């Protein structure tokens, strides 16, 4: 009789310890690990021996209450996380549409600055659903790259034009230098006037070369 009583009390002590452990898990924010820990609590419980039904049920009910409290907190957290992810998705859709709207712009400096700002804003937004996030990021980058490809092409074209203009202006400079010692005042003045007219039509060279 005494031995059975002692064993029962030992079983009760073990179940009480497991119950208190489960109650300690109820406030955890480690959603995945704690979900697993509650499964392990249930498995360990099954392996523990006999305790009179009244006390056994009271302990099990405490474990269940702790598990339910944890599950409710987990549900609310994921619900909030879902709302945040949807809000972040909305913000990223907005930025993607803005990026696409200016991809054809010819305002090179202003649009370059705008892309820098949009990219910074994107980085500050929290996570969104991976697949959608990836899709939007591809669209955002495609728009940005399209603009910068056009900008690069534009600058190559301008540079090529400047090189052609440089050749033309260099020839005018050489003609002007060749006339500087002339004493045929009228003809030379007229020649300089014509050179100046040609200079104005010759287009930009830009930079130090132009100076």
């Amino acid at each position: 009789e005494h031995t059975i009583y002692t064993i029962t009390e030992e079983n009760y002590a073990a179940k009480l310890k497991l119950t208190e452990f489960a109650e300690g898990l109820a406030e955890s924010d480690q959603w995945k690990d704690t979900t697993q820990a509650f499964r392990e609590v249930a498995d360990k419980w099954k392996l523990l021996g006999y305790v009179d039904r009244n006390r056994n049920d009271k302990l099990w009910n405490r474990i269940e209450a702790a598990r339910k409290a944890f599950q409710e907190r987990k549900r609310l957290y994921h619900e909030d996380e879902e709302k945040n992810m949807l809000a972040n998705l909305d913000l990223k859709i907005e930025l993607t549409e803005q990026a696409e709207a200016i991809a054809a712009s010819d305002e090179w400096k202003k649009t370059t600055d705008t892309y820098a700002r949009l990219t910074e804003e994107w980085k500050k937004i929290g996570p969104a659903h991976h697949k959608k996030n990836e899709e939007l990021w591809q669209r955002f980058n495609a728009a940005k790259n399209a603009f910068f490809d056009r900008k690069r092409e534009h600058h190559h074209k301008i540079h090529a034009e400047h090189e052609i203009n440089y050749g033309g202006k260099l020839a005018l400079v050489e003609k002007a230098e060749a006339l500087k010692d002339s004493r045929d005042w009228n003809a030379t003045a007229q020649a300089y006037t014509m050179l100046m007219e040609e200079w104005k039509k010759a287009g930009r060279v830009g930079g130090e070369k132009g100076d």
Side-chain angles (χ1 to χ4, degrees), residues 123-137:
K123 286 178 192 166
K124 286 175 192 162
I125 299 170
H129 290 288
H130 180 71
K131 195 180 170 192
K132 274 282 179 198
N133 190 68
E134 200 49 41
E135 201 179 287
L136 288 169
W137 181 240

Side-chain angles (χ1 to χ4, degrees), residues 1 9 17 62 64-65 80 94 112 148 162 174 198 203:
E1 173 95 7
E9 288 310 302
K17 195 177 174 188
R62 279 168 64 183
E64 273 297 276
D80 282 348
E94 207 173 295
T112 299
F148 282 104
H162 283 184
E174 284 165 359
E198 284 182 56

Side-chain angles (χ1 to χ4, degrees), residues 143-196:
K144 192 166 142 183
N145 292 341
F147 168 77
F148 282 104
D149 285 348
R150 287 175 49 255
K151 182 183 174 184
R152 212 168 11 256
E153 207 175 295
H154 169 75
H155 283 152
H156 284 326
K157 195 174 157 194
I158 293 291
H159 181 69
E161 280 174 12
H162 283 184
E163 284 302 303
I164 292 164
N165 295 343
Y166 177 71
K169 284 192 165 178
L170 191 60
L172 294 177
V173 169
E174 284 165 359
K175 283 181 190 173
E177 285 175 338
L179 292 171
K180 72 178 192 292
D181 296 324
S182 167
R183 290 179 176 277
D184 191 348
W185 312 116
N186 285 341
T188 308
Q190 209 172 348
Y192 272 125
T193 304
M194 283 174 72
L195 288 176
M196 284 301 290

Side-chain angles (χ1 to χ4, degrees), residues 1-165:
E1 173 95 7
H2 182 69
T3 314
I4 291 171
Y5 173 77
T6 309
I7 292 168
T8 303
E9 288 310 302
E10 281 171 4
N11 291 344
Y12 177 76
K15 285 191 171 182
L16 178 62
K17 195 177 174 188
L18 192 61
T19 300
E20 285 166 351
F21 171 74
E23 286 174 334
L25 293 174
E27 292 303 312
S28 168
D29 290 339
Q30 303 297 311
W31 310 116
K32 196 178 173 192
D33 292 348
T34 308
T35 301
Q36 181 56 33
F38 269 112
R39 285 196 198 106
E40 285 164 13
V41 164
D43 291 341
K44 283 175 188 171
W45 179 274
K46 287 170 197 165
L47 299 174
L48 294 173
Y50 171 80
V51 175
D52 51 282
R53 190 169 169 186
N54 185 28
R55 287 195 299 170
N56 193 74
D57 287 355
K58 276 182 182 166
L59 290 180
W60 180 249
N61 288 342
R62 279 168 64 183
I63 289 176
E64 273 297 276
R67 191 183 63 79
K68 280 178 184 163
F70 168 74
Q71 290 289 9
E72 180 59 13
R73 287 179 53 254
K74 180 179 164 185
R75 186 185 68 76
L76 290 171
Y77 169 80
H78 284 116
E79 204 174 79
D80 282 348
E81 193 180 36
E82 182 66 23
K83 281 179 195 161
N84 285 339
M85 283 178 112
L86 286 171
N88 291 343
L89 195 65
D90 275 349
L91 291 172
K92 287 182 174 181
I93 288 170
E94 207 173 295
L95 291 183
T96 300
E97 285 171 354
Q98 284 180 44
E100 287 173 338
I102 58 172
S105 166
D106 289 339
E107 295 182 71
W108 309 113
K109 170 135 186 27
K110 184 185 169 190
T111 308
T112 299
D113 293 345
T114 304
Y115 273 118
R117 178 178 57 78
L118 293 177
T119 306
E120 276 310 303
E121 282 180 31
W122 183 288
K123 286 178 192 166
K124 286 175 192 162
I125 299 170
H129 290 288
H130 180 71
K131 195 180 170 192
K132 274 282 179 198
N133 190 68
E134 200 49 41
E135 201 179 287
L136 288 169
W137 181 240
Q138 298 287 349
R139 277 174 58 192
F140 184 91
N141 267 334
K144 192 166 142 183
N145 292 341
F147 168 77
F148 282 104
D149 285 348
R150 287 175 49 255
K151 182 183 174 184
R152 212 168 11 256
E153 207 175 295
H154 169 75
H155 283 152
H156 284 326
K157 195 174 157 194
I158 293 291
H159 181 69
E161 280 174 12
H162 283 184
E163 284 302 303
I164 292 164
N165 295 343

Side-chain angles (χ1 to χ4, degrees), residues 166 169 173 199 204-211:
Y166 177 71
K169 284 192 165 178
V173 169
W199 180 275
R204 285 193 56 183
V205 173
E208 285 179 21
K209 279 183 177 180
D211 294 341

